[in-house]
Amino acid sequence: MCGITGGWWPQGSPDSALRVSTALDRLRHRGPNDRGHEIYPLGFGELHLGHTRLSILDLSPAGHQPMLSHDGRLSIVYNGEIYNYKEIRAELQQQGFRFSTQTDTEVLLNAWLCWGPACLPKLEGMFAFALYDKQDHSLTLVRDPFGIKPLFYYHHDNQLLFGSEQTAMLALMPQKPELNWQRCYDYLVHGQYDNQEDTFLAGIRHLLPGHLLRISLQQPANAEPYQWWAPTLVKKEKLTFDQAVEAVREQFLHNIRTHLRSDVPVGAALSGGIDSSAIVCGMRYLYKDLPIHTFSYVSSDPATSEEKWIDLVNQHTGAIAHKVHIQPHELAEDLDTLVKAQGEPFGSTSIYAQFRVFKHARENNITVMLEGQGGDELLGGYSGYPGHRLLSLLEQHRYGAAHDFAKHWAKLNGLSYRHALMHLAHITLPPKVYALARQLTGRPFEPDWLNIDLLKEAGVKLCDYRPPLKPDYKGQRLIEKLAHSLQSYGLPHLLRHGDRNAMHFSVESRVPFLTAPFANLCLNLPEDYLVSPEAETKRVFRAAMQGIVPNVVLNRNDKIGFSTPEQTWVHPTIDKIDEGLVPNDTTRIFAQVSKYKKQINSIPKKTTYASQMWRYINFLCWRPGIK
């Protein structure tokens, strides 16, 4: 795992080398083992490629980057892991390509020489890279299918700048960027972030998951990213349920096997849920003698503690357990560090629990961690996406099945039948009716603590983003939702949390659920293989893990994860509202702070936590760090 940065200055710049050097300083935590910076003066401009390296495969100096292809044509800075690099290397060797290192970076260079961008679907892994082709003077930025590895860019006035994190981008930028008010509104009111190209800072964009941006350095003005990967949702010959179980089991174990390829110690994050338990149990199933270190957060609140499930999995696998316990005051003490590590505002205090888990892993000399992100989005997890599953059944005219599903879902989740219909209404109500429903339930689009007139004048859309329901997915609304969650609203912000938390401590986080073959397999299964008619989530995966994961874990119907006692943790941070404000701060214009503070101070400490409280505190902590 690494950090990458650089850019194209079309007229050159007297301080470009210093800017890239500063950006590399800010990425040192992503790659403490090595650093490289190459400058390519081309007569019509100047290209910089920079890299910080965390050594995982081939720990020798041969892995230094920027790395050149053997013919000198290509130069690359690359962040990630290609787990099937050995198989691709063997295929390339058969075609006459030679190798001088044991790195996956060299495999990627030769694969690009051989197949060009057509090599990308062959790669099973996580990656973000910048590749310079001297033959046609092009610079190509690429991001993996799910956006596991980050890549930001700025493209303006023929200039292209890129980096793994916002702090690196800020070092490269010609001037301090303004806030993107739309994204600030989306976050503060609706909790939405990392779900589209725009970031919190105007002009800085995400290269979206599964996208590629190629520019000609001689004519760089008009290039736009395009999508090179999306889930393949083509109806295939229907597998029987037993055949699907076998296919899921085989592909998941293959993913575990390849994700364990490493020249440094590997551990696993264990929450106690089905996904993380399956990873740890899969490691033991495949390798009977492998030393397994697990790292878990244990909540002090019995209602959210998963310690009994964690202990059960550790005992079943003979793993070496490491547990993290957090006191309420610790979040306030670490808040500034956490916010800086994340780079942009984020959604909940559970991110702090994950932060501490990765910290504990590093303290125990673990460099690579496997974790279970993506299992819910691929297999119909969480609460089973009841609104989308109900809509599928209704569009198939299976009204009785829809009624039965709603009853089962309500009983399974300890809720009423009405709650199932509310999930359906959330995705089907017309916009005006939906806005009214939000107003009546105390979640207005225009809360009184925002300066609404000013936001309207600035062109901010004061609404909630709901993905449109596409005609092509009629009768397959669950599959449509899962596919959308993989690359837009859902998974991307979870992957951001994991990447930044892990890399802050120079730990590589790997997510074995997230490979293109596994995604294409799961999303082409019938919906009732994923969520059963009785509303059981991850139906096919539970069956696939029989004999690998203890049945008592597979039979769980609750989902806790890294749940934290937010109300207890957040109240000690309320003073940050005043500390985060500075004279003439944009936030004073954007929001009416006095009204907001009055609102949150009126919330008793023992009531259900108001999510806006955390988001506003987080936002104020982040603002002064933009420099």
Side-chain angles (χ1 to χ4, degrees), residues 15-91:
D15 65 349
S16 56
L18 177 61
R19 288 182 177 275
V20 174
S21 180
T22 302
L24 287 169
D25 290 341
R26 296 181 178 186
L27 293 176
R28 187 179 183 280
H29 57 283
R30 298 189 70 92
N33 303 131
D34 192 19
R35 170 173 171 148
H37 178 191
E38 293 293 336
I39 303 173
Y40 303 87
L42 301 179
F44 50 93
E46 192 173 82
L47 174 68
H48 291 249
L49 297 180
H51 185 263
T52 62
R53 184 186 183 202
L54 177 64
S55 304
I56 303 294
L57 297 171
D58 190 342
L59 309 185
S60 75
H64 178 79
Q65 295 184 38
M67 183 180 286
L68 288 173
S69 59
H70 65 84
D71 62 357
R73 172 184 162 186
L74 304 179
S75 182
I76 192 171
V77 285
Y78 156 67
N79 168 28
E81 300 289 349
I82 298 170
Y83 302 116
N84 63 336
Y85 76 100
K86 291 184 177 180
E87 291 77 6
I88 296 174
R89 177 186 172 115
E91 183 177 353

Side-chain angles (χ1 to χ4, degrees), residues 128 213 238 310 331 369 371-372 409 414 418 432 448 467 491 494 506 512-513 585 604 615 625:
L213 172 64
K238 182 177 177 180
I310 292 165
L331 173 61
M369 287 273 281
E371 59 172 338
W409 180 87
R418 178 176 61 90
K432 290 184 178 180
D448 62 5
L491 185 62
L494 300 176
S506 302
F513 282 95
D585 188 83
R615 293 202 291 267

Side-chain angles (χ1 to χ4, degrees), residues 268 270 292-296 298 307 310-315 317-324 360 364:
L270 175 61
I292 299 176
H293 290 257
T294 66
F295 295 84
S296 308
V298 177
E307 189 167 20
I310 292 165
D311 290 344
L312 191 155
V313 172
N314 283 325
Q315 291 166 9
T317 59
I320 302 164
H322 305 266
K323 297 178 181 179
V324 173
H360 199 44
N364 284 271

Side-chain angles (χ1 to χ4, degrees), residues 5 30 37 66-67 94 197 249 287-288 313 422 442 558 599 623:
T5 190
R30 298 189 70 92
H37 178 191
M67 183 180 286
Q94 290 180 351
E197 188 177 44
R249 178 188 177 102
Y287 301 101
K288 306 302 182 186
V313 172
M422 289 173 64
D558 59 330
Q599 173 183 318
R623 281 285 292 116

Side-chain angles (χ1 to χ4, degrees), residues 549-625:
V549 179
N551 285 341
V552 66
V553 175
L554 294 176
N555 292 335
R556 290 188 65 181
N557 287 311
D558 59 330
K559 181 175 178 62
I560 297 175
F562 281 172
S563 294
T564 55
E566 291 189 309
Q567 195 71 18
T568 305
W569 283 14
V570 168
H571 269 277
T573 71
I574 289 178
D575 289 342
K576 293 288 185 180
I577 288 179
D578 288 328
E579 294 175 16
L581 292 171
V582 297
N584 302 317
D585 188 83
T586 318
T587 312
R588 291 185 183 272
I589 304 172
F590 187 84
Q592 300 181 55
V593 179
S594 59
K595 284 189 176 182
Y596 190 82
K597 191 170 183 182
K598 181 178 178 181
Q599 173 183 318
I600 66 170
N601 280 333
S602 69
I603 301 172
K605 291 186 179 182
K606 293 185 179 179
T607 60
T608 301
Y609 168 64
S611 57
Q612 287 91 346
M613 184 196 305
W614 165 253
R615 293 202 291 267
Y616 201 77
I617 293 168
N618 187 197
F619 183 76
L620 288 173
C621 289
W622 168 71
R623 281 285 292 116

Side-chain angles (χ1 to χ4, degrees), residues 86-139:
K86 291 184 177 180
E87 291 77 6
I88 296 174
R89 177 186 172 115
E91 183 177 353
L92 290 166
Q93 285 176 322
Q94 290 180 351
Q95 298 195 36
F97 285 87
R98 64 180 187 272
F99 293 85
S100 57
T101 77
Q102 298 299 314
T103 66
D104 56 341
T105 311
E106 189 180 20
V107 171
L108 176 55
L109 277 171
N110 279 333
W112 194 276
L113 281 172
C114 184
W115 299 298
C119 75
L120 296 174
K122 295 176 176 285
L123 310 179
E124 294 180 22
M126 52 182 182
F127 47 86
F129 62 86
L131 185 142
Y132 169 50
D133 189 333
K134 296 179 182 178
Q135 188 173 83
D136 59 8
H137 296 304
S138 65
L139 178 66

